[in-house]
Amino acid sequence: MRLEIRGQHVEVTDALRAHVERRLLFALGRFGSRILQVTVCLADLNGPRGGRDTQCRMVAEMPQGGKVIVEDIDVDLYAALDCAAERLGRAVARELERRREHSLYMPVTSRRPAAQVFRRRARTRNAPK
């Protein structure tokens, strides 16, 4: 799993980077190679005006082209990171469960190439009686 951390009006220090890595490893470590990349975007929305304005957006990219996106806004950057990482772990688990259930309940014919299905039907229609 590759990790990319971006900051908009937020300085990404070594301590912040280590905290993000630790939290994401805890939240997503059990999924192993089922996540290709996680992008973390940190932003201070209001600048120096204060208020509830620190945003953390996390995007997890899956091998089959899917993306899971979570976002959290809080006064404290570390609290926003913790909450977003926890939510990302739950969201990735839900997405992988949906994919697993979908592949289990698909009819067997839909998993075969179309040419095989049509060949089999053509043979049964033209069979001698």
Side-chain angles (χ1 to χ4, degrees):
M1 171 176 73
R2 291 189 338 243
L3 178 62
E4 182 178 342
I5 302 172
R6 300 177 187 167
Q8 296 175 344
H9 307 290
V10 174
E11 183 181 351
V12 181
T13 62
D14 291 336
L16 183 62
R17 184 176 303 278
H19 183 76
V20 171
E21 289 175 2
R22 188 172 50 252
R23 295 300 295 175
L24 286 177
L25 184 62
F26 181 75
L28 303 175
R30 63 187 169 138
F31 302 118
S33 64
R34 290 179 280 184
I35 298 175
L36 295 177
Q37 178 175 344
V38 177
T39 304
V40 179
C41 297
L42 307 170
D44 188 6
L45 301 176
N46 293 335
R49 290 182 288 184
R52 189 177 167 164
D53 65 346
T54 305
Q55 177 188 36
C56 176
R57 175 179 291 172
M58 296 184 179
V59 180
E61 297 180 24
M62 309 284 190
Q64 290 82 21
K67 287 185 180 181
V68 176
I69 302 171
V70 297
E71 181 179 306
D72 194 64
I73 297 175
D74 203 315
V75 176
D76 183 30
L77 179 62
Y78 286 91
L81 277 167
D82 294 347
C83 187
E86 185 178 324
R87 288 177 58 208
L88 184 65
R90 289 194 310 263
V92 167
R94 265 194 323 271
E95 177 66 23
L96 291 175
E97 181 65 22
R98 274 190 211 118
R99 289 180 180 202
R100 189 181 72 81
E101 286 178 359
H102 181 69
S103 68
L104 287 177
Y105 296 115
M106 286 178 59
V108 176
T109 57
S110 66
R111 292 188 209 161
R112 293 187 201 137
Q116 288 180 353
V117 174
F118 291 126
R119 250 185 275 142
R120 179 170 294 129
R121 288 182 188 163
R123 273 189 257 145
T124 56
R125 283 190 207 139
N126 299 333
K129 296 182 181 179

